[in-house]
Amino acid sequence: MQNDQTPPEMRAPRLVRILSIVPFLLGPLPVFAILFGHQYLPAPAWVSLIGPFAWIAGALSAVLFFWLIQGDSSIHEKYGPLARLTLIVFTPIMGLWMGYTAVTMGGPMIIAILAGQEEELTFTVTEATRWGDRKCRNPIEIDGMPALFDRICHLPEEFRRTLIPGVQIVVGGRGTQWGVFLENARRKE
């Protein structure tokens, strides 16, 4: 017997509910990696190639998350109008971000963890003079990366001082041609 009080005609099909888990699991993975001290950088070529598909996945995730929230009648019973409005607005935005990030970073990140080897990728510096904070010391901003993941953190200040916009750097670490976990960086010669 199910504890779900939502009428069967209002519930999302089982396949849809299962598919909604994919962006929910893969989307925040890069954030969790940073929280545990591992920065993953997708390859600029990968982000450029997969970008349109990632936006489509993000849009589908946004619609899916919105549909799941709308179909859950318990939300309408448990929460007041302001909380429901916040959920209705926030859920599609979160779905868009999670779907996009799952495709551009989450999937390649899992592959890098499971089958990665030593890899080097080239990135172009856009800014290297901004002040860092405790979460990102000595930030180096790089071109062509998804928002929130467009900077490299915790590299030596001496290295950062040698960089100007337009300079290319080579980042090495465990990964694949689609992205690497940052272990070291050097100027491209």
Side-chain angles (χ1 to χ4, degrees), residues 91-108:
T91 300
I93 293 169
M94 191 58 132
L96 178 69
W97 178 81
M98 285 185 168
Y100 178 83
T101 306
V103 172
T104 56
M105 297 180 71

Side-chain angles (χ1 to χ4, degrees), residues 14-171:
R14 175 175 239 136
L15 178 63
V16 171
R17 287 184 283 168
I18 291 169
L19 288 177
S20 69
I21 293 172
V22 173
F24 189 73
L25 293 176
L26 291 180
L29 192 60
V31 174
F32 291 135
I34 290 171
L35 291 175
F36 289 105
H38 302 283
Q39 186 171 8
Y40 180 79
L41 298 168
W46 170 255
V47 173
S48 175
L49 173 71
I50 204 71
F53 301 107
W55 284 115
I56 291 169
L60 290 173
S61 294
V63 169
L64 181 65
F65 281 27
F66 181 74
W67 183 41
L68 291 172
I69 288 293
Q70 283 297 101
D72 188 353
S73 63
S74 66
I75 288 174
H76 302 286
E77 297 165 3
K78 290 180 185 176
Y79 301 107
L82 184 60
R84 283 195 311 263
L85 178 64
T86 302
L87 273 173
I88 289 170
V89 170
F90 179 71
T91 300
I93 293 169
M94 191 58 132
L96 178 69
W97 178 81
M98 285 185 168
Y100 178 83
T101 306
V103 172
T104 56
M105 297 180 71
M109 191 180 208
I110 290 291
I111 295 169
I113 290 169
L114 298 176
Q117 52 191 335
E118 286 301 311
E119 187 74 40
E120 289 188 335
L121 297 174
T122 302
F123 297 89
T124 303
V125 174
T126 58
E127 180 69 50
T129 58
R130 294 187 197 261
W131 288 100
D133 56 31
R134 64 183 176 89
K135 294 178 185 171
C136 183
R137 301 215 186 276
N138 307 324
I140 299 169
E141 295 180 19
I142 51 178
D143 190 35
M145 292 292 103
L148 304 176
F149 303 101
D150 59 349
R151 62 186 184 165
I152 299 173
C153 301
H154 307 294
L155 291 175
E157 177 65 25
E158 299 76 33
F159 173 69
R160 187 176 83 132
R161 279 192 219 136
T162 67
L163 303 176
I164 58 172
V167 167
Q168 290 192 321
I169 59 173
V170 177
V171 173

